[in-house]
Amino acid sequence: MHGIFLHILADTLGSVAVVISTLLVHFYGWSGFDPLASFFIAVLIFASAIPLVISSAKTLLLTVPADVEYTLRDTLAGVSGLRGVVGYSGPRFWVEDSGVPHEDQLSHAHDGGHDIGEPRVLGVMHVIASRAADVEDVRERTVQFLRSRGMDVVVQVEREWTRN
């Protein structure tokens, strides 16, 4: 939505610049107003593209805000403490920034500390279960633990591997 707004704003200001340059050329007779207007339009396009490039780069690089990062560290420490979990690897998290509330946010009434406008943390991770643990049980407890923290994470579980 932000990109659409910036695009329409740049188009509108570009059209205004063309009209103004046309009037200035007509009344003052100096044709240099036209290249100035073109330069102004180019600067508008460039300036409107910068926030979009930054936003896209943050999404592609899976960056999360600092407060979310600290919460993630605490949550991952909690995952390590779950019964049957030996460790984890490859956690990847990102923030959903669609602005549209997810059905989980609308359907439960507990005081979980997340508002409708709060971005959701999404992710994937690989959990290593102990040899004696039930893999499906470890996966289910891990998913429930992460959901209780307001996260929607795909969890892959495998048994601990040992050398013979």
Side-chain angles (χ1 to χ4, degrees):
M1 200 63 171
H2 183 67
I4 294 170
F5 170 75
L6 290 175
H7 182 77
I8 290 173
L9 181 66
D11 281 351
T12 303
L13 292 175
S15 297
V16 169
V18 168
V19 170
I20 290 173
S21 77
T22 302
L23 291 173
L24 290 173
V25 168
H26 177 70
F27 288 116
Y28 292 104
W30 184 57
S31 61
F33 290 119
D34 191 40
L36 288 175
S38 297
F39 178 74
F40 177 71
I41 291 169
V43 168
L44 283 174
I45 292 170
F46 183 73
S48 68
I50 289 174
L52 297 176
V53 170
I54 290 171
S55 174
S56 298
K58 286 182 178 180
T59 300
L60 291 172
L61 294 172
L62 301 178
T63 60
V64 293
D67 59 329
V68 174
E69 184 177 348
Y70 290 120
T71 303
L72 286 173
R73 290 179 189 209
D74 291 341
T75 302
L76 289 174
V79 167
S80 295
L82 292 175
R83 183 172 41 90
V85 175
V86 174
Y88 62 87
S89 64
R92 303 284 187 264
F93 300 102
W94 60 94
V95 177
E96 179 184 56
D97 60 351
S98 66
V100 178
H102 188 266
E103 64 186 42
D104 288 347
Q105 293 173 324
L106 298 175
S107 65
H108 65 276
H110 72 83
D111 186 22
H114 44 271
D115 301 325
I116 289 187
E118 182 179 319
R120 292 183 337 124
V121 176
L122 307 175
V124 296
M125 69 183 300
H126 185 94
V127 173
I128 303 166
S130 66
R131 290 182 296 189
D134 178 25
V135 173
E136 187 57 34
D137 181 53
V138 169
R139 189 192 70 76
E140 188 60 36
R141 278 188 285 105
T142 305
V143 168
Q144 289 304 320
F145 176 77
L146 294 170
R147 281 195 183 144
S148 72
R149 301 289 178 106
M151 300 170 61
D152 189 8
V153 180
V154 174
V155 178
Q156 178 187 3
V157 180
E158 73 175 40
R159 289 200 192 283
E160 179 180 28
W161 182 81
T162 59
R163 290 185 186 170
N164 290 332

